[in-house]
Amino acid sequence: MIPPVLGVDACRAGWVGASLRDGRVELLTAPTVAALVARLAVAPAVVGIDIPIGLPDTGHRLADVAARTELPVGRKSSVFPTPARAAVAATTWQEANAANRSATGKGLSHQAFNLCGKVAEVDAWVRGGLGLVVIEVHPEVSFTALGADTLASKKTAAGRATREAALRAAGIVVPADLRGPGVGADDALDACAVAWTALRHARGESRTLPEVAERFSDGLAAAIHV
């Protein structure tokens, strides 16, 4: 029997996790991803996380380009270009913007900069010798693979309904109450979709975008799983 898998998504509270076992989801929150995993009674078979793993030194990641091809027109922009490693290390948007432009030829949006703290946290965490299988997952790509109508924004009731229905059709029982302090229903649903892909990976059923992962100076496999 496969141990639980964990799907993780960033939220205002820090991180929300969907612990998935035997088709049922338990939602957990914690201020750091390390604390979230530590809350589990049993070590997860796979941790899937919606944050870039494997940061480019220059240029753009093939994973982001490939993931966009999986999404319908109108949703491709939900895959943000991964900031360069130098940009993630910067402490101000001005510094990060300049570093990213130097490394990739493009500046960094304020929205992307606001995620850099999370990116840096996960980067340090996965490079710390975890003894865990950790994979990168993009929820919208997973929802598309599940058959959800991702054209409807996950911020709307209709968008949440189609995503929840897709999870149910895949045999995943989603908690009735998805919201919590610092956690939106869309955050929790994203974590559930990430958990679905983590389970696929544990079963040997997932695929990677691109098919062969890139590796940059950090040595990490840069690929989005679905």
Side-chain angles (χ1 to χ4, degrees):
M1 180 180 293
I2 297 174
V5 297
L6 184 68
V8 181
D9 190 54
C11 62
R12 293 189 308 279
W15 300 91
V16 57
S19 178
L20 174 62
R21 187 171 196 173
D22 298 330
R24 293 192 172 274
V25 168
E26 178 187 1
L27 295 176
L28 311 164
T29 59
T32 68
V33 68
L36 186 71
V37 173
R39 290 197 59 192
L40 296 173
V42 178
V46 178
V47 178
I49 190 163
D50 176 22
I51 212 77
I53 297 174
L55 305 181
D57 304 293
T58 59
H60 301 287
R61 299 195 318 166
L62 294 177
D64 302 331
V65 176
R68 289 187 199 102
T69 67
E70 300 282 314
L71 298 175
V73 174
R75 295 301 298 158
K76 296 181 184 297
S77 62
S78 67
V79 180
F80 297 113
T82 298
R85 177 164 292 281
V88 171
T91 57
T92 68
W93 173 79
Q94 289 82 0
E95 292 171 350
N97 186 50
N100 207 68
R101 191 175 297 281
S102 176
T104 71
K106 292 188 177 181
L108 191 70
S109 69
H110 286 277
Q111 187 174 12
F113 175 69
N114 290 337
L115 289 174
C116 282
K118 300 284 191 186
V119 175
E121 177 189 342
V122 171
D123 178 63
W125 181 65
V126 297
R127 296 168 75 188
L130 299 170
L132 293 171
V133 177
V134 183
I135 62 172
E136 178 184 348
V137 182
H138 194 287
E140 290 295 89
V141 175
S142 294
F143 275 125
T144 298
L146 278 161
D149 175 14
T150 55
L151 288 175
S153 170
K154 63 184 181 180
K155 298 291 186 181
T156 66
R160 291 190 295 272
T162 184
R163 287 163 175 79
E164 188 170 345
L167 289 166
R168 286 198 305 271
I172 296 175
V173 180
V174 177
D177 188 3
L178 293 169
R179 292 178 173 84
V183 180
D186 57 319
D187 301 321
L189 286 172
D190 279 354
C192 291
V194 175
W196 174 76
T197 296
L199 180 60
R200 281 170 50 81
H201 188 73
R203 290 173 170 170
E205 299 169 355
S206 68
R207 57 192 176 91
T208 60
L209 305 169
E211 185 174 346
V212 178
E214 289 182 285
R215 292 185 187 269
F216 306 108
S217 64
D218 54 28
L220 301 174
I224 292 172
H225 294 70
V226 64

